[in-house]
Amino acid sequence: MPLYKCQVCNFVFEGPQPPDRCPKCGAPRERFTLLSDQEAELIKRSRKSNYLHMRAASLLREFLAIADELIQENLDPPCVRIANEEKDFALTTLQKITAELESHMKKGRWG
Ligand SMILES: [Zn+2]
């Protein structure tokens, strides 16, 4: 399916032809332009990467909750130390993912 981009708000529409009006900003059909195969491919890959980053973030939040439980359990110092390392890893990686997704949006690759 070809992709069409609204030149007013950057909404990307997938279909055989552009919609009568932009679902996001209401601009008329004439404001949509057909994206090249190369642009469309980049948007599809970017959407997939964003989706995978969000799935990873969701697993990291679960990982973080488990680390917190281990810390609360407070069985012995080595156990708590490992749990704190897990927590640091999850928090840092979540922040990296958030920054990366924000940079995708600024580049207009959010799709
Ligand atoms: Zn629009």
Side-chain angles (χ1 to χ4, degrees), residues 27-110:
R29 176 190 300 260
E30 304 78 65
R31 301 306 300 274
F32 277 87
T33 54
L34 176 65
L35 294 179
S36 70
D37 286 349
Q38 210 175 2
E39 288 169 317
E41 179 65 17
L42 186 61
I43 284 180
K44 283 174 185 171
R45 287 181 56 212
S46 177
R47 281 176 173 177
K48 185 179 178 189
S49 292
N50 287 342
Y51 166 72
L52 291 172
H53 275 308
M54 285 189 284
R55 266 181 60 194
S58 154
L59 290 173
L60 282 165
R61 278 189 283 271
E62 200 179 324
F63 191 84
L64 194 56
I66 292 169
D68 275 335
E69 251 189 88
L70 277 168
I71 291 165
Q72 276 175 9
E73 203 58 49
N74 197 15
L75 181 64
D76 55 41
C79 195
V80 172
R81 191 175 60 243
I82 293 169
N84 275 309
E85 286 168 7
E86 290 169 352
K87 192 175 174 172
D88 284 348
F89 168 78
L91 280 173
T92 304
T93 310
L94 274 168
Q95 281 158 357
K96 286 183 195 172
I97 290 173
T98 303
E100 181 62 16
L101 290 176
E102 279 171 4
S103 82
H104 285 191
M105 285 192 280
K106 284 196 190 100
K107 285 180 209 155
R109 281 161 51 188
W110 183 254

Side-chain angles (χ1 to χ4, degrees), residues 6 8-11 22 24-27:
C6 173
V8 177
C9 74
N10 290 331
F11 179 85
C22 173
K24 189 179 168 207
C25 74

